[in-house]
Short mmCIF file of all heavy atoms in Angstrom, two decimals:
data_model
loop_
_atom_site.label_atom_id
_atom_site.label_comp_id
_atom_site.label_asym_id
_atom_site.label_seq_id
_atom_site.Cartn_x
_atom_site.Cartn_y
_atom_site.Cartn_z
N PHE A 1 -16.64 3.45 11.67
CA PHE A 1 -16.26 3.40 13.08
C PHE A 1 -15.91 4.78 13.63
O PHE A 1 -16.35 5.15 14.70
CB PHE A 1 -15.08 2.44 13.26
CG PHE A 1 -14.51 2.40 14.66
CD1 PHE A 1 -15.23 1.83 15.70
CD2 PHE A 1 -13.25 2.94 14.93
CE1 PHE A 1 -14.70 1.80 17.00
CE2 PHE A 1 -12.72 2.90 16.21
CZ PHE A 1 -13.44 2.33 17.24
N SER A 2 -15.09 5.53 12.89
CA SER A 2 -14.63 6.82 13.39
C SER A 2 -14.52 7.83 12.25
O SER A 2 -14.41 7.46 11.08
CB SER A 2 -13.26 6.67 14.06
OG SER A 2 -12.27 6.32 13.09
N ASP A 3 -14.53 9.12 12.61
CA ASP A 3 -14.36 10.17 11.61
C ASP A 3 -12.98 10.09 10.97
O ASP A 3 -12.82 10.33 9.78
CB ASP A 3 -14.55 11.55 12.26
CG ASP A 3 -16.00 11.79 12.67
OD1 ASP A 3 -16.90 11.11 12.12
OD2 ASP A 3 -16.23 12.64 13.55
N TYR A 4 -11.99 9.78 11.76
CA TYR A 4 -10.61 9.69 11.25
C TYR A 4 -10.51 8.62 10.17
O TYR A 4 -9.92 8.84 9.11
CB TYR A 4 -9.68 9.35 12.42
CG TYR A 4 -8.20 9.30 12.09
CD1 TYR A 4 -7.36 10.34 12.44
CD2 TYR A 4 -7.64 8.19 11.46
CE1 TYR A 4 -6.00 10.30 12.16
CE2 TYR A 4 -6.28 8.13 11.17
CZ TYR A 4 -5.47 9.19 11.53
OH TYR A 4 -4.13 9.13 11.24
N ALA A 5 -11.09 7.45 10.44
CA ALA A 5 -10.98 6.33 9.50
C ALA A 5 -11.87 6.52 8.28
O ALA A 5 -11.58 6.00 7.20
CB ALA A 5 -11.34 5.02 10.20
N GLY A 6 -12.96 7.26 8.44
CA GLY A 6 -13.88 7.44 7.32
C GLY A 6 -14.38 6.10 6.81
O GLY A 6 -14.78 5.23 7.57
N ARG A 7 -14.33 5.91 5.48
CA ARG A 7 -14.83 4.67 4.90
C ARG A 7 -13.69 3.77 4.40
O ARG A 7 -13.90 2.88 3.57
CB ARG A 7 -15.78 4.99 3.76
CG ARG A 7 -15.19 5.81 2.64
CD ARG A 7 -16.25 6.14 1.60
NE ARG A 7 -15.69 6.83 0.43
CZ ARG A 7 -16.40 7.20 -0.62
NH1 ARG A 7 -17.70 6.95 -0.64
NH2 ARG A 7 -15.83 7.81 -1.63
N SER A 8 -12.49 4.01 4.88
CA SER A 8 -11.35 3.15 4.54
C SER A 8 -11.30 1.96 5.49
O SER A 8 -11.25 2.14 6.71
CB SER A 8 -10.04 3.94 4.64
OG SER A 8 -8.94 3.07 4.64
N VAL A 9 -11.30 0.77 4.96
CA VAL A 9 -11.28 -0.43 5.80
C VAL A 9 -9.94 -0.57 6.51
O VAL A 9 -9.88 -1.02 7.67
CB VAL A 9 -11.61 -1.70 4.98
CG1 VAL A 9 -10.58 -1.97 3.92
CG2 VAL A 9 -11.78 -2.91 5.91
N THR A 10 -8.84 -0.16 5.86
CA THR A 10 -7.54 -0.27 6.52
C THR A 10 -7.40 0.75 7.64
O THR A 10 -6.86 0.43 8.71
CB THR A 10 -6.40 -0.09 5.50
OG1 THR A 10 -6.58 1.15 4.78
CG2 THR A 10 -6.37 -1.24 4.51
N GLU A 11 -7.89 1.97 7.43
CA GLU A 11 -7.86 2.96 8.50
C GLU A 11 -8.82 2.58 9.63
O GLU A 11 -8.56 2.85 10.80
CB GLU A 11 -8.20 4.35 7.95
CG GLU A 11 -7.15 4.95 7.06
CD GLU A 11 -5.83 5.22 7.77
OE1 GLU A 11 -5.84 5.47 9.00
OE2 GLU A 11 -4.78 5.18 7.10
N THR A 12 -9.93 1.94 9.27
CA THR A 12 -10.86 1.48 10.31
C THR A 12 -10.20 0.43 11.18
O THR A 12 -10.30 0.47 12.41
CB THR A 12 -12.14 0.91 9.66
OG1 THR A 12 -12.81 1.96 8.96
CG2 THR A 12 -13.08 0.35 10.73
N PHE A 13 -9.49 -0.51 10.56
CA PHE A 13 -8.77 -1.52 11.35
C PHE A 13 -7.80 -0.85 12.32
O PHE A 13 -7.76 -1.18 13.51
CB PHE A 13 -8.01 -2.49 10.44
CG PHE A 13 -7.15 -3.47 11.20
CD1 PHE A 13 -7.71 -4.62 11.74
CD2 PHE A 13 -5.79 -3.22 11.39
CE1 PHE A 13 -6.92 -5.51 12.46
CE2 PHE A 13 -5.01 -4.11 12.10
CZ PHE A 13 -5.57 -5.26 12.64
N ALA A 14 -7.02 0.09 11.80
CA ALA A 14 -6.02 0.75 12.64
C ALA A 14 -6.67 1.54 13.78
O ALA A 14 -6.16 1.57 14.89
CB ALA A 14 -5.14 1.66 11.79
N ASP A 15 -7.82 2.16 13.51
CA ASP A 15 -8.50 2.93 14.56
C ASP A 15 -9.20 2.02 15.56
O ASP A 15 -9.28 2.35 16.75
CB ASP A 15 -9.50 3.91 13.93
CG ASP A 15 -9.08 5.35 14.14
OD1 ASP A 15 -7.94 5.58 14.58
OD2 ASP A 15 -9.88 6.27 13.84
N VAL A 16 -9.74 0.90 15.11
CA VAL A 16 -10.33 -0.08 16.03
C VAL A 16 -9.29 -0.52 17.05
O VAL A 16 -9.58 -0.67 18.24
CB VAL A 16 -10.89 -1.28 15.24
CG1 VAL A 16 -11.13 -2.48 16.14
CG2 VAL A 16 -12.20 -0.89 14.55
N VAL A 17 -8.06 -0.71 16.59
CA VAL A 17 -6.97 -1.09 17.48
C VAL A 17 -6.50 0.10 18.30
O VAL A 17 -6.30 0.00 19.52
CB VAL A 17 -5.80 -1.67 16.66
CG1 VAL A 17 -4.57 -1.89 17.54
CG2 VAL A 17 -6.21 -2.99 16.01
N GLY A 18 -6.31 1.25 17.64
CA GLY A 18 -5.78 2.42 18.34
C GLY A 18 -6.66 2.90 19.48
O GLY A 18 -6.18 3.16 20.58
N TYR A 19 -7.95 3.00 19.23
CA TYR A 19 -8.87 3.45 20.28
C TYR A 19 -9.08 2.37 21.34
O TYR A 19 -9.47 2.69 22.47
CB TYR A 19 -10.21 3.85 19.67
CG TYR A 19 -10.24 5.25 19.11
CD1 TYR A 19 -10.39 5.49 17.75
CD2 TYR A 19 -10.12 6.36 19.95
CE1 TYR A 19 -10.42 6.78 17.24
CE2 TYR A 19 -10.16 7.65 19.46
CZ TYR A 19 -10.30 7.86 18.09
OH TYR A 19 -10.34 9.14 17.60
N TYR A 20 -8.84 1.11 21.01
CA TYR A 20 -8.94 0.04 22.00
C TYR A 20 -7.88 0.22 23.09
O TYR A 20 -8.14 0.01 24.27
CB TYR A 20 -8.76 -1.31 21.31
CG TYR A 20 -8.93 -2.51 22.22
CD1 TYR A 20 -10.19 -3.06 22.45
CD2 TYR A 20 -7.83 -3.09 22.84
CE1 TYR A 20 -10.35 -4.16 23.29
CE2 TYR A 20 -7.98 -4.19 23.67
CZ TYR A 20 -9.24 -4.72 23.89
OH TYR A 20 -9.38 -5.83 24.74
N VAL A 21 -6.68 0.63 22.68
CA VAL A 21 -5.60 0.87 23.64
C VAL A 21 -5.75 2.25 24.25
O VAL A 21 -5.68 2.41 25.48
CB VAL A 21 -4.22 0.73 22.96
CG1 VAL A 21 -3.10 1.02 23.97
CG2 VAL A 21 -4.05 -0.66 22.36
N GLY A 22 -5.96 3.28 23.42
CA GLY A 22 -6.07 4.64 23.91
C GLY A 22 -7.48 4.98 24.35
O GLY A 22 -8.13 5.86 23.79
N ARG A 23 -7.95 4.30 25.39
CA ARG A 23 -9.34 4.45 25.81
C ARG A 23 -9.65 5.86 26.31
O ARG A 23 -10.82 6.28 26.31
CB ARG A 23 -9.67 3.43 26.91
CG ARG A 23 -9.70 1.97 26.43
CD ARG A 23 -10.76 1.72 25.37
NE ARG A 23 -12.08 2.13 25.81
CZ ARG A 23 -12.84 1.41 26.64
NH1 ARG A 23 -12.41 0.25 27.10
NH2 ARG A 23 -14.03 1.84 26.98
N CYS A 24 -8.64 6.61 26.72
CA CYS A 24 -8.89 7.95 27.22
C CYS A 24 -8.85 9.02 26.13
O CYS A 24 -8.98 10.21 26.42
CB CYS A 24 -7.87 8.31 28.30
SG CYS A 24 -8.17 7.46 29.89
N ALA A 25 -8.68 8.60 24.88
CA ALA A 25 -8.67 9.57 23.79
C ALA A 25 -10.02 10.27 23.71
O ALA A 25 -11.08 9.65 23.86
CB ALA A 25 -8.36 8.88 22.47
N LEU A 26 -9.99 11.56 23.46
CA LEU A 26 -11.21 12.34 23.36
C LEU A 26 -12.11 11.80 22.26
O LEU A 26 -11.64 11.43 21.18
CB LEU A 26 -10.85 13.80 23.05
CG LEU A 26 -12.00 14.81 22.98
CD1 LEU A 26 -12.69 14.95 24.32
CD2 LEU A 26 -11.48 16.16 22.50
N ASP A 27 -13.41 11.73 22.54
CA ASP A 27 -14.40 11.25 21.57
C ASP A 27 -14.11 9.83 21.10
O ASP A 27 -14.30 9.49 19.93
CB ASP A 27 -14.49 12.19 20.36
CG ASP A 27 -14.91 13.59 20.74
OD1 ASP A 27 -15.70 13.73 21.70
OD2 ASP A 27 -14.45 14.56 20.10
N ASN A 28 -13.66 8.99 22.01
CA ASN A 28 -13.39 7.59 21.67
C ASN A 28 -14.69 6.92 21.23
O ASN A 28 -15.69 6.94 21.96
CB ASN A 28 -12.81 6.87 22.89
CG ASN A 28 -12.27 5.49 22.56
OD1 ASN A 28 -12.91 4.70 21.87
ND2 ASN A 28 -11.09 5.19 23.08
N PRO A 29 -14.74 6.31 20.04
CA PRO A 29 -15.98 5.69 19.57
C PRO A 29 -16.52 4.61 20.52
O PRO A 29 -17.73 4.36 20.53
CB PRO A 29 -15.57 5.08 18.22
CG PRO A 29 -14.46 5.94 17.74
CD PRO A 29 -13.69 6.29 18.99
N TYR A 30 -15.64 3.99 21.28
CA TYR A 30 -16.10 2.96 22.22
C TYR A 30 -16.89 3.54 23.39
O TYR A 30 -17.60 2.82 24.09
CB TYR A 30 -14.92 2.15 22.76
CG TYR A 30 -14.22 1.30 21.72
CD1 TYR A 30 -12.86 1.46 21.47
CD2 TYR A 30 -14.91 0.34 20.99
CE1 TYR A 30 -12.21 0.68 20.52
CE2 TYR A 30 -14.28 -0.44 20.03
CZ TYR A 30 -12.93 -0.26 19.80
OH TYR A 30 -12.29 -1.03 18.85
N ASP A 31 -16.78 4.85 23.61
CA ASP A 31 -17.50 5.48 24.72
C ASP A 31 -19.01 5.36 24.56
O ASP A 31 -19.74 5.36 25.55
CB ASP A 31 -17.12 6.96 24.82
CG ASP A 31 -15.68 7.18 25.25
OD1 ASP A 31 -15.05 6.21 25.72
OD2 ASP A 31 -15.20 8.33 25.13
N THR A 32 -19.47 5.26 23.33
CA THR A 32 -20.92 5.24 23.09
C THR A 32 -21.54 3.88 23.37
O THR A 32 -22.76 3.78 23.53
CB THR A 32 -21.22 5.60 21.63
OG1 THR A 32 -20.70 4.56 20.77
CG2 THR A 32 -20.59 6.94 21.25
N GLY A 33 -20.74 2.84 23.41
CA GLY A 33 -21.28 1.50 23.59
C GLY A 33 -21.89 0.92 22.34
O GLY A 33 -22.54 -0.13 22.38
N GLU A 34 -21.68 1.59 21.20
CA GLU A 34 -22.30 1.15 19.95
C GLU A 34 -21.37 0.29 19.09
O GLU A 34 -21.77 -0.17 18.02
CB GLU A 34 -22.72 2.38 19.12
CG GLU A 34 -23.77 3.23 19.82
CD GLU A 34 -24.08 4.49 19.04
OE1 GLU A 34 -23.44 4.70 17.98
OE2 GLU A 34 -24.95 5.27 19.48
N HIS A 35 -20.16 0.07 19.55
CA HIS A 35 -19.19 -0.64 18.72
C HIS A 35 -18.64 -1.88 19.43
O HIS A 35 -17.44 -2.17 19.37
CB HIS A 35 -18.05 0.29 18.32
CG HIS A 35 -18.50 1.45 17.49
ND1 HIS A 35 -18.96 1.32 16.19
CD2 HIS A 35 -18.58 2.79 17.77
CE1 HIS A 35 -19.28 2.51 15.71
NE2 HIS A 35 -19.06 3.41 16.66
N ASP A 36 -19.53 -2.60 20.09
CA ASP A 36 -19.10 -3.80 20.82
C ASP A 36 -18.44 -4.83 19.91
O ASP A 36 -17.49 -5.52 20.31
CB ASP A 36 -20.31 -4.45 21.53
CG ASP A 36 -20.77 -3.64 22.73
OD1 ASP A 36 -20.26 -2.52 22.92
OD2 ASP A 36 -21.62 -4.13 23.48
N ALA A 37 -18.94 -4.96 18.69
CA ALA A 37 -18.41 -5.98 17.78
C ALA A 37 -16.95 -5.67 17.42
O ALA A 37 -16.10 -6.56 17.39
CB ALA A 37 -19.26 -6.07 16.52
N TYR A 38 -16.67 -4.40 17.14
CA TYR A 38 -15.29 -4.01 16.86
C TYR A 38 -14.41 -4.19 18.11
O TYR A 38 -13.26 -4.62 18.02
CB TYR A 38 -15.23 -2.55 16.41
CG TYR A 38 -15.60 -2.33 14.96
CD1 TYR A 38 -16.47 -1.30 14.58
CD2 TYR A 38 -15.05 -3.12 13.93
CE1 TYR A 38 -16.78 -1.08 13.25
CE2 TYR A 38 -15.37 -2.90 12.61
CZ TYR A 38 -16.24 -1.88 12.26
OH TYR A 38 -16.55 -1.67 10.93
N TYR A 39 -14.97 -3.86 19.26
CA TYR A 39 -14.22 -4.01 20.51
C TYR A 39 -13.85 -5.47 20.74
O TYR A 39 -12.71 -5.78 21.08
CB TYR A 39 -15.07 -3.49 21.67
CG TYR A 39 -14.37 -3.51 23.01
CD1 TYR A 39 -13.64 -2.41 23.45
CD2 TYR A 39 -14.44 -4.63 23.85
CE1 TYR A 39 -12.99 -2.42 24.69
CE2 TYR A 39 -13.80 -4.64 25.08
CZ TYR A 39 -13.08 -3.55 25.49
OH TYR A 39 -12.45 -3.56 26.71
N GLN A 40 -14.80 -6.36 20.55
CA GLN A 40 -14.55 -7.78 20.76
C GLN A 40 -13.53 -8.31 19.76
O GLN A 40 -12.72 -9.18 20.09
CB GLN A 40 -15.85 -8.57 20.66
CG GLN A 40 -16.81 -8.34 21.82
CD GLN A 40 -16.19 -8.67 23.17
OE1 GLN A 40 -15.49 -9.67 23.32
NE2 GLN A 40 -16.46 -7.83 24.17
N PHE A 41 -13.54 -7.78 18.54
CA PHE A 41 -12.55 -8.20 17.56
C PHE A 41 -11.15 -7.85 18.04
O PHE A 41 -10.24 -8.68 18.01
CB PHE A 41 -12.81 -7.54 16.20
CG PHE A 41 -11.80 -7.95 15.16
CD1 PHE A 41 -12.04 -9.05 14.35
CD2 PHE A 41 -10.61 -7.25 15.00
CE1 PHE A 41 -11.10 -9.45 13.39
CE2 PHE A 41 -9.66 -7.63 14.06
CZ PHE A 41 -9.92 -8.74 13.26
N ALA A 42 -10.95 -6.60 18.45
CA ALA A 42 -9.64 -6.18 18.94
C ALA A 42 -9.22 -7.01 20.15
O ALA A 42 -8.06 -7.43 20.25
CB ALA A 42 -9.65 -4.69 19.28
N LYS A 43 -10.16 -7.25 21.03
CA LYS A 43 -9.86 -8.01 22.24
C LYS A 43 -9.44 -9.44 21.92
O LYS A 43 -8.41 -9.93 22.43
CB LYS A 43 -11.10 -8.02 23.15
CG LYS A 43 -10.94 -8.86 24.42
CD LYS A 43 -12.22 -8.83 25.24
CE LYS A 43 -12.12 -9.72 26.48
NZ LYS A 43 -13.37 -9.70 27.27
N GLU A 44 -10.19 -10.10 21.07
CA GLU A 44 -9.95 -11.53 20.82
C GLU A 44 -8.90 -11.79 19.75
O GLU A 44 -8.08 -12.71 19.90
CB GLU A 44 -11.27 -12.19 20.41
CG GLU A 44 -12.33 -12.15 21.50
CD GLU A 44 -13.71 -12.56 21.01
OE1 GLU A 44 -13.81 -13.07 19.86
OE2 GLU A 44 -14.69 -12.36 21.76
N HIS A 45 -8.89 -11.00 18.68
CA HIS A 45 -8.03 -11.31 17.54
C HIS A 45 -6.69 -10.60 17.59
O HIS A 45 -5.75 -11.03 16.91
CB HIS A 45 -8.74 -10.94 16.23
CG HIS A 45 -9.91 -11.81 15.91
ND1 HIS A 45 -9.82 -12.92 15.10
CD2 HIS A 45 -11.20 -11.75 16.31
CE1 HIS A 45 -11.00 -13.49 14.99
NE2 HIS A 45 -11.86 -12.80 15.72
#
């Protein structure tokens, strides 16, 4: 999902949530539109 999280599933979870709230963070992975599935997870779950 992100460079910060790398291949750690726990860091990926935290970044999926963190970038969902901090939408104005520089280089937000959601800006690309390629991570809709992660976005929907944060939104719904």
Side-chain angles (χ1 to χ4, degrees):
F1 174 70
S2 66
D3 291 339
Y4 183 103
R7 59 183 185 179
S8 166
V9 64
T10 54
E11 290 296 331
T12 296
F13 175 82
D15 247 10
V16 163
V17 172
Y19 277 114
Y20 184 87
V21 179
R23 291 299 305 282
C24 286
L26 183 65
D27 299 327
N28 190 314
Y30 293 123
D31 292 347
T32 66
E34 297 175 358
H35 298 291
D36 287 8
Y38 280 134
Y39 183 91
Q40 290 303 318
F41 180 91
K43 177 181 177 180
E44 297 169 10
H45 291 266

